Amino acid sequence: MSKRFYITTAIDYANGSPHLGHAYEKVLTDIVARFRRLQGDEVKFLTGLDEHGQKVQMSAQKCGVEPIEVCDRLAGEFQGLCARLGISNDDYIRTTEGRHKAVVQEVLQKLYEKGEIYKAEYAGFYSPRQEQFVTEKEKVDGEWPEIFGEVEEVVETNYFFKLAQYQDWLVETIRENEAMIYPRFRAADVLQFLKEPLNDLCISRPKTRLEWGIELPFDADFVTYVWFDALTNYITAAGYGTDAFSENWPADYHVIGKDILVPPHAVYWPIMLKALGLELPRHYLVHGWWLSSGSKMSKSTGEVVDPLTLIEQFGADAFRYFVTREMNVGQDSEFSLELFMSRYNSDLANDLGNLVSRLLNMGGRYTEGKVPKATIEGEPEQALKAVWEVTKAELVPLYEGFQFHRALERIFGFISAINKYAETRAPWKLAKSEAEEDREKLETSLAVMAEALRLSMVLLTPVMPEISSKVRALIGAESFESLKGQLDWGTSLAGASLGEKAILFPRPERN
RNA sequence: GCCAAUGUAGCUCAGUGGUAGAGCAGAGGACUCAUAAGCCUUUGGUCGGCAGUUCAAAUCUGCCCAUUGGCACCA
């Protein structure tokens, strides 16, 4: 079979509850995945949880439970978030799963046998109180701060992965593949990092310091530490070592935050793959951060607002719309309750929700709850269709280029044009006329509004899947799997039954 | 210090050489099918600063300023 379109998010660290950043990355990836499915690709969409490491072990100790219990609880929370957001992932990987441990150990063994991993001693300053090594940089006024307690110099043995020998190859690869990293300016950060000589990467921890990890296959006194555990998830889920692997790998997109591009995803991961003789991921989609994320003071009430509560209050699609409309992928963006409410009220409730509401209502009053037939084509109809043609032509390239904020701007511009069209035809005035010509105009106007709404919902599907199918059901449009043929202005709705009056985006209670 | 991104109307942003744009917010108006919604009109900007290239610069070049991020012997 032909290769799937394989897209991943970063796996979340089991060290705290989900926040806006986690939710955003899932939504962004989901939009790409859904768009590709509409374009006819078979998609594999992976997300998951990174469960090993010191912090997980410590927080379990603090609670007096086993680490896996902490992980189970958080896995539940993160998977619950995905479900609530309508994320269409078809796999969810947890790094404590057997399938993952097996791949990590296989990979480590292979590289060890190839001589890519070696054992060495390191001398450094260790803080038993913080259970971590400290560096000269952390000194304040020539002393380590009180929180570190007694700092002692220790010598420790560990395993290292050889990075430096691949440095020139990596620089060359990134230079030659301009499209590898989106947005492109991020590649400059990688190349700058690679101007300095690479040090080999420490990939183990002695079990005396860290138990909660995957054991090295060639030395039972150690577990592997972070990168070989976390990054490897991408090939585990792709079916490394099975026939399925070639159908999935290489990944088409790793969607990640800007903080984990350099060095892990753009340096360690490609070198790990190269050493294993595997192909590199084709692209990285690197997004920015939400500023003031997690919470924001509401100016009016002084209350702290958790963005994720907005999902419960206003629905997953409203949340998806907001983060997609506001974020220019790759840049940072501001989150505030005021901005959210502004988008919700004016774009969703007033422009879209109210349009659906008035169409259903008029259909019930004037055309017996059916979508009538469009029989005339006057200047207003031509004008609206002209707007549609422009919108349609722009949208696919915008989606393909990750310009989702602009895509939504265009779609809602078209929705606004439907409202303008309604004002021009004013079916509520035509309904008062006895003239045959006015009756035709009335029926045409409702048919045109319904068809235009159907078209806009097709384009909106990747971002607002739930609302899209809800509106399509209300206007009698059939469901669809592929974009093919769906974007052509047609008459398929004629005769369809309109749904009961519906409020898609209720206004919040006013205090 | 080095590198990068960003800096356009009160707010969020579009606009990469040819007389400053959109949405929201504000003001006024006509209408009434609709979620006190929608529609029309309108106030508002020396496009961060300085200099340069050009017949012409928000748009190209240089310098500067501000904000943010990357540049950790993370053992």
Side-chain angles (χ1 to χ4, degrees), chain A residues 316-431:
Chain A
D317 278 17
F319 179 86
R320 293 169 63 109
Y321 176 77
F322 176 78
V323 295
T324 310
R325 179 62 184 82
E326 289 296 318
M327 180 71 90
N328 179 347
V329 178
Q331 309 288 352
D332 292 343
S333 225
E334 187 77 25
F335 174 88
S336 77
L337 184 60
E338 286 73 21
L339 284 172
F340 181 88
M341 290 319 302
S342 173
R343 288 292 176 201
Y344 182 84
N345 285 326
S346 62
D347 295 358
L348 299 181
N350 295 351
D351 288 354
L352 175 56
N354 184 54
L355 171 61
V356 172
S357 179
R358 63 201 302 208
L359 172 63
L360 295 180
N361 198 61
M362 287 192 281
R365 286 166 73 139
Y366 307 143
T367 62
E368 296 164 335
K370 303 256 190 235
V371 179
K373 233 183 214 161
T375 52
I376 56 176
E377 170 116 351
E379 198 277 326
E381 286 73 29
Q382 286 168 2
L384 185 60
K385 287 180 185 180
V387 176
W388 169 250
E389 288 306 320
V390 173
T391 307
K392 172 187 168 183
E394 287 176 333
L395 256 287
V396 170
L398 286 175
Y399 268 115
E400 285 175 340
F402 311 116
Q403 301 294 300
F404 303 121
H405 62 306
R406 290 167 63 195
L408 289 178
E409 185 190 16
R410 304 304 156 91
I411 295 170
F412 277 75
F414 179 63
I415 287 169
S416 182
I418 306 173
N419 273 314
K420 287 181 175 68
Y421 168 81
E423 299 295 329
T424 308
R425 277 300 184 201
W428 51 93
K429 285 181 185 165
L430 298 169

Side-chain angles (χ1 to χ4, degrees), chain A residues 151-350:
Chain A
V151 172
E152 56 203 39
E153 187 167 8
V154 300
V155 174
E156 190 170 291
T157 300
N158 262 314
Y159 286 88
F160 292 79
F161 174 53
K162 294 181 184 174
L163 289 180
Q165 56 184 325
Y166 295 111
Q167 182 156 3
D168 292 342
W169 163 81
L170 183 58
V171 168
E172 200 60 23
T173 301
I174 290 169
R175 284 218 178 106
E176 282 175 5
N177 292 287
E178 281 205 330
M180 187 172 175
I181 300 174
Y182 180 94
R184 288 195 181 183
F185 69 82
R186 292 280 171 212
D189 287 350
V190 182
L191 291 171
Q192 203 201 340
F193 180 85
L194 289 169
K195 278 180 188 165
E196 302 294 321
L198 283 174
N199 294 301
D200 289 342
L201 182 66
C202 179
I203 59 158
S204 68
R205 289 290 183 275
K207 278 192 181 168
T208 50
R209 275 209 294 129
L210 178 67
E211 288 176 50
W212 186 236
I214 298 174
E215 192 175 277
L216 296 186
F218 43 82
D219 192 335
D221 292 333
F222 294 83
V223 297
T224 191
Y225 172 72
V226 64
W227 304 119
F228 268 89
D229 190 341
L231 292 165
T232 305
N233 93 84
Y234 300 131
I235 57 171
T236 299
Y240 181 77
T242 73
D243 291 344
F245 190 64
S246 62
E247 295 166 6
N248 295 319
W249 197 258
D252 291 274
Y253 279 93
H254 285 320
V255 180
I256 57 173
K258 63 183 184 181
D259 56 322
I260 55 171
L261 177 67
V262 182
H265 280 81
V267 178
Y268 303 157
W269 184 226
I271 291 178
M272 286 162 65
L273 291 166
K274 172 73 174 171
L276 285 165
L278 299 177
E279 282 184 74
L280 304 193
R282 289 178 177 156
H283 306 277
Y284 293 102
L285 178 54
V286 186
H287 66 254
W289 289 114
W290 286 95
L291 306 177
S292 308
S293 69
S295 65
K296 178 82 178 177
M297 298 300 283
S298 159
K299 280 174 193 158
S300 49
T301 64
E303 253 181 296
V304 175
V305 178
D306 175 358
L308 298 188
T309 63
L310 299 173
I311 301 169
E312 294 314 317
Q313 203 176 345
F314 298 98
D317 278 17
F319 179 86
R320 293 169 63 109
Y321 176 77
F322 176 78
V323 295
T324 310
R325 179 62 184 82
E326 289 296 318
M327 180 71 90
N328 179 347
V329 178
Q331 309 288 352
D332 292 343
S333 225
E334 187 77 25
F335 174 88
S336 77
L337 184 60
E338 286 73 21
L339 284 172
F340 181 88
M341 290 319 302
S342 173
R343 288 292 176 201
Y344 182 84
N345 285 326
S346 62
D347 295 358
L348 299 181
N350 295 351

